[in-house]
Amino acid sequence: MTNQNQEMKHSKSAVLGLQHLLAMYSGSILVPIMIAGALGYSSKELTYLISTDIFMCGVATFLQLQVNKYFGIGLPVVLGVAFQSVAPLSIIGAKLGSGAIFGSIIVSGIIVILISGVFSKVRKFFPPLVTGSVITTIGLTLVPVAMGNMGNNVPKPQLSSVILAVLTILIILVIHALTTGFIRSIAILIGLIVGTIVAVFMGIVDFSPIAQAPIVHVPTPFFFGKPIFDLSSILMMTIISLVSMVESTGVYLALSDITGEEITETRLRNGYRAEGFAVALGGIFNTFPYTGFSQNVGLVQLSGIKTRRPIFYTAGFLVLLGLLPKFGAVAQIIPSPVLGGAMLVMFGMVTIQGIRMLGQVNFNNEHNLLIAAMSVAAGVGFNGTNLFQALPTTVAMFLNNGIVIATLVAIVLNIVFNHKEIK
């Protein structure tokens, strides 16, 4: 009986791990697709990028799941490719070639490892007022991504896209309303599967990614040639890495709040170390920088499963799919509207998690109300704005990241108005 219980527990964890994989898969492969398109890579090079990207996402996630004295945050976090790296890497690649892309990534990863101890000491600057504001901003800035997918990312979405997206949302809501326990915890996965099946009957599922994918793929160090270490490129990617560390901090603190596990300076340091190591490995194997994926935070909250076991399965599946591209391509056939419907639910959960954290704040202090209002408004407003087009590219990229702006505004205003309370 004990063995049966163990087998059942592992089976459930495996299904939950698959759900996490599907939640992050599309967002993670989007980065190599966009960079390959910007730099004119061949279909063979794109296949390499996607497969190695997925493989390294699994390796990076496994590193972050560890609990030891050297590296790993030890929370149910999934690492994927940092979306904010698309623009700077495209600029570097266009000007200096692929070698400069991966050389700058390697060095930026090493820098993250070196500064992890110093960066971990910022924990005291992230009280519920700051973290709640940042996590709320994360959710709100991700909602437009979900909406774009619901409309199939085209200017004039077809009615079929809207139907699929709404159907996926309804399936998730119905499962949550009518079921309990394990079935409820995989509501997102069921929504994705049923939505895709309906899309097949509607004739809008493209199976070509499966047919075109090779059977086996082996990640190769320096596939695009030897790295080039250009100072300006390294500086740009170091800034992007710092941005990713700020975002990851928000993810770690959100998961800490959900799971009830305390995040000490040592655990933060180890988390940054694991992230830096993953970034450096990504550069060596010619993929891109990694960061904690905030969309999976909503999934942890929604499923109610707060242990690391499902994420170990996610990491294993990612490694396997990276080695077997035809299996990995199955996840690529999920239509964008179906994925967008599921994303809307998950990102809404991230937003509510931030609001729950803000519920711990004393808003009788009007300073706190102003801090939260300004950080969320600036984060959502500055995200992707054209307000800073006249500034240098590196500065504009930094200011256009709503999550970073929300974090900086919240931290600075909290120091200015509540400096006596910071210990």
Side-chain angles (χ1 to χ4, degrees), residues 4 44 96 104 120 142-143 166 175 226 234 280 291 307 315-316 319 382 408 417:
Q4 288 181 340
K44 179 182 177 182
L96 301 170
S104 64
S120 66
L142 286 172
V143 166
V166 172
I175 292 171
K226 66 179 183 179
I234 290 170
T291 188
T307 67
V319 169
F382 283 17
L408 292 176
F417 289 112

Side-chain angles (χ1 to χ4, degrees), residues 215-298:
I215 297 174
V216 178
H217 164 81
V218 179
T220 307
F222 307 119
F223 178 83
F224 287 90
K226 66 179 183 179
I228 296 171
F229 302 106
D230 171 71
L231 185 58
S232 62
S233 302
I234 290 170
L235 177 61
M236 185 180 293
M237 288 314 300
T238 299
I239 292 172
I240 295 301
S241 294
L242 292 175
V243 169
S244 297
M245 291 172 77
V246 171
E247 288 198 47
S248 292
T249 302
V251 170
Y252 302 154
L253 294 175
L255 287 171
S256 171
D257 184 68
I258 293 170
T259 61
E261 291 192 38
E262 182 185 358
I263 299 299
T264 62
E265 284 187 12
T266 300
R267 285 185 73 170
L268 274 178
R269 179 203 67 192
N270 292 350
Y272 299 140
R273 278 182 181 174
E275 189 168 311
F277 190 27
V279 171
L281 281 176
I284 292 170
F285 284 92
N286 291 172
T287 60
F288 307 113
Y290 298 96
T291 188
F293 257 33
S294 48
Q295 46 262 63
N296 291 83
V297 175

